[in-house]
Amino acid sequence: MRLIHRVILILSAAALAMLVGNALIVHLIVGEEFRSIESALAERNADRAVDAVSDNLAHLRGSALDWATWDSSYRFMRGEGVREFVGQNLVPQSFQGIRVNLMYFVRFDGTVAWGDILDLSAGEAVDLPEMSKELLTPAQLALFSTGEEEVTATPSGILMTSRGPMLVVSAPILRADGTGPAAGFLLLGRFLDAGLVDRLGRQVHARFTLDPIDAAGGKVSGGAGDGPAAPAVQEPTGELQRDRRAEAPRNREVTVGKDHLTVRTVLNDIAGKPALALETSYARTISEAGSSMVNYVIALMAAVLALAGLAILLMLNRTVVKPVARLMRRVLEARGGTIPESGPEFAASASFSAAGESPDEIVILENEFERTIQQLDETQKRLVEQSFYTGMAELVGGMTHNVRNALTPISIKLWHIGRALDMAHLDRMEAAVGRVEAATADRQDCALAVTYLKACMEHLRTSHSTIETDIGVIGDQATQIEQIFYDHERFSRAKRQVETIDISRVVDEASKLLQNGEKIRIAVAPGVAKLPAVRGHHVVLTQVFGNLIVNAEEAILAAGRGAGTISIDGELVRRDGVDMVELHVSDDGQGIPEDKLDRIFERGYSTRRVHSGGIGLHWCANSLAGMGGGIWAVSDGIGRGARMVVRLPARKRVFNFDSLKETA
């Protein structure tokens, strides 16, 4: 898959995730807010419907208070001017004027002074079995009457009758100035029929129905809302804020349907029992509008995300994808290959990729980078190998230096042999022998000559022992010289074999190159003998340590103190997960300047006053690198001595000089 395709896929996934997340947020927050507004408006309109019933009841209460405070009404209840009052006021027109269906003038003992129930639409009297026109029951009297002493109470509410619910109001009958005692009470009633419910709904712009509630709390048919005037569904209207006449929270239930929601409010009768269910049903136009707006916002958001994604894609294509593609082509061209635009050849152009994934430009560049790192590593190994073989080639010049170091003890030993031969006094021995031959064995003067001859012979015998020892040393040095020449000759023609080397043995052999043993001593720490064996080439490693010991000896002599010590110590360390043996060759000589610590291993560089070619430490560094080790110098400065640190791999690591690879 091309990088541009991956970018498109990532941007599309990000845009889709953002769109889905924002859509959920908008639906959960904005959509819920619309539904909350719709529910609040529906409840507000339900409150208006309830308030319409309450307002109608209040209007009825006003009419009752008005009629109950007439002087003529007061006199009528006291039996004065009965015929005139009835003829002038208690007529059907009075019922129509205040729009009441029931009018009772009742005394406090329950007798009805006058009462009638009228159907306003037909203009005819009707009967209610539960409302006697002669005498109210004690229960009814308890509902409508507050007693003679209560002149301000006006009981009111809903009364359930056989002809449907009725709004009833009771007011004490007083004089016109409001004084008493009360002569009785006036009971007015108005049926909550379909016409009244429809008229109240139009007045408050909140259509509703009223249905009686049975004893179990459910609705029963035949209620005041069964007429055709009340529509089934309407749109909610009105403000969200409650008006100042709002009552305490009512027993309310909101039912949310697919296309409309219904608010059901329970109204109690005058006795405080649930009597009517007031229902308002509204079309869910607000939530539909909210859903439409949410969908519009989501569509607009999708368009914005698409445009933003396109802009980001164009920018990434210009600033990232195209430069990466050009870089990839340059890399592949530098490696002698080309890359196609697309297709199977594109996937095949990468050397490897993640399992199950097609390579893109980044993967191809990563693979090429890994291949380059591998090639650099191989090149570095070849350079180390070349450096080693270059160092071996330098042995042609360094051979003279090493052979001279080996021949110096031979010259000294030959001098000792010469002195021993000089002390033999051969001429005197010849004279003594002559005298012995001339004299007889029994002559006294021959005894001294014989004694002297015996002493000379004893001394000669001792000198012969010394000569034999020195000749042995000369033989060993000659053998080493021969081995050096043989080893270099074999190295130039054949592969070098890896050996397991006892480091203490190498130190002992290298210590024999010390020329001034009477002034300079070598102190080898006991821990050296306990170090594990290393892997390398014995002869080369012996020459390395021999070179270090000779250099330390020269540094001590150059310090001018006449005597000194070369200390050799070692330890086992772990570097990069590999066990290494570190050997420290220290001296108390003239030391090395800080700025020369790295240069002493360069080809042609030397700290000696009389340069001898400067190939010793350079050759040592190359040889140790070829064995998988290394060397560096440590010094505190001039006059404070120096320490050469040699690091070699422990025996469990096998290093092949020709392949420069480790094997188990």
Side-chain angles (χ1 to χ4, degrees), residues 99-120:
R99 301 196 64 80
V100 295
N101 300 99
L102 180 145
M103 183 181 295
Y104 274 27
F105 285 86
V106 185
R107 293 185 176 88
F108 289 114
D109 60 358
T111 60
V112 179
W114 187 92
D116 199 3
I117 303 172
L118 187 66
D119 184 352
L120 297 181

Side-chain angles (χ1 to χ4, degrees), residues 45-66:
N45 288 336
D47 288 341
R48 285 186 172 188
V50 175
D51 291 341
V53 176
S54 299
D55 291 344
N56 196 263
L57 186 62
H59 182 269
L60 186 61
R61 185 182 298 109
S63 299
L65 290 174
D66 180 38

Side-chain angles (χ1 to χ4, degrees), residues 526-562:
V528 174
K530 300 178 181 180
L531 291 174
V534 297
R535 300 290 290 177
H537 188 69
H538 183 86
V539 174
V540 174
L541 196 58
T542 302
Q543 294 179 49
V544 169
F545 277 93
N547 198 348
L548 297 180
I549 290 175
V550 170
N551 289 344
E553 180 183 20
E554 293 179 352
I556 293 173
L557 295 176
R561 291 191 288 269

Side-chain angles (χ1 to χ4, degrees), residues 172-247:
I173 299 175
L174 304 171
R175 297 185 182 92
D177 58 1
T179 61
F185 60 89
L186 175 63
L187 184 63
L188 297 182
R190 181 180 296 161
F191 284 116
L192 276 172
D193 54 13
L196 179 59
V197 170
D198 183 59
R199 185 169 63 254
L200 293 178
R202 288 197 301 270
Q203 288 176 359
V204 297
H205 305 287
R207 300 296 180 87
F208 60 93
T209 61
L210 284 173
D211 297 303
I213 299 177
D214 58 12
K219 295 194 303 181
V220 297
S221 60
D226 291 339
V233 179
Q234 67 180 67
E235 295 185 6
T237 59
E239 300 79 13
L240 287 177
Q241 62 272 19
R242 316 280 296 190
D243 79 28
R244 290 174 295 180
R245 295 178 299 170
E247 301 175 359

